[in-house]
Amino acid sequence: VQLQASGGGLVQAGGSLSLSCVASETLSDYAMGWFRQTPGKEREFVATVNWSGGMTYYADSVKGRCTISKDNAKSAVYLQMSSLKPEDTGVYYCVADRGYSGDIWRQYDYKGQGTQVTVSS
């Protein structure tokens, strides 16, 4: 399974950005999520959504500013981000797993290449 993330870019603080991730195969029974990494820091959990899209889980740092959603028909997961801050800058990675939907990177079976998000102050 390949995960292709897109939608990153440069945005001013306070702005919004929407990320997308499309899987190469049907992942209707998989949890999917997002992590991010900034140079010099460990990879950080952002958000996950369960297989049905009915349950979501957010990092405290993005809660209230991000919304994760899943479209099983398109094998896609989305991350809508608003009120962006410079500390949201990083490479955002999409992940998927059939049995895990938590906040530990290495537990996910599938990980995509990232998309860069840069928030200027």
Side-chain angles (χ1 to χ4, degrees):
V1 176
Q2 294 186 347
L3 303 174
Q4 183 65 53
S6 62
L10 175 63
V11 62
Q12 289 188 335
S16 300
L17 209 58
S18 292
L19 306 183
S20 301
C21 174
V22 179
S24 60
E25 299 178 19
T26 300
L27 296 181
S28 57
D29 54 348
Y30 280 64
M32 298 184 76
W34 295 90
F35 285 73
R36 66 187 180 191
Q37 186 165 27
T38 301
K41 296 179 65 176
E42 290 189 3
R43 196 169 279 112
E44 175 188 22
F45 166 75
V46 177
T48 61
V49 57
N50 76 329
W51 67 274
S52 69
M55 293 181 64
T56 56
Y57 175 36
Y58 297 94
D60 288 342
S61 59
V62 304
K63 198 172 295 182
R65 300 188 298 116
C66 290
T67 301
I68 188 170
S69 60
K70 189 172 185 271
D71 186 337
N72 285 333
K74 297 181 179 179
S75 295
V77 64
Y78 308 100
L79 185 69
Q80 294 179 297
M81 303 184 291
S82 61
S83 301
L84 284 164
K85 306 175 182 179
E87 50 263 45
D88 292 317
T89 294
V91 179
Y92 282 67
Y93 297 91
C94 175
V95 297
D97 194 90
R98 193 166 189 175
Y100 183 75
S101 58
D103 57 7
I104 301 175
W105 168 264
R106 65 179 181 272
Q107 294 281 56
Y108 285 89
D109 282 342
Y110 301 111
K111 306 173 180 74
Q113 294 185 338
T115 185
Q116 175 71 45
V117 172
T118 303
V119 184
S120 63
S121 57

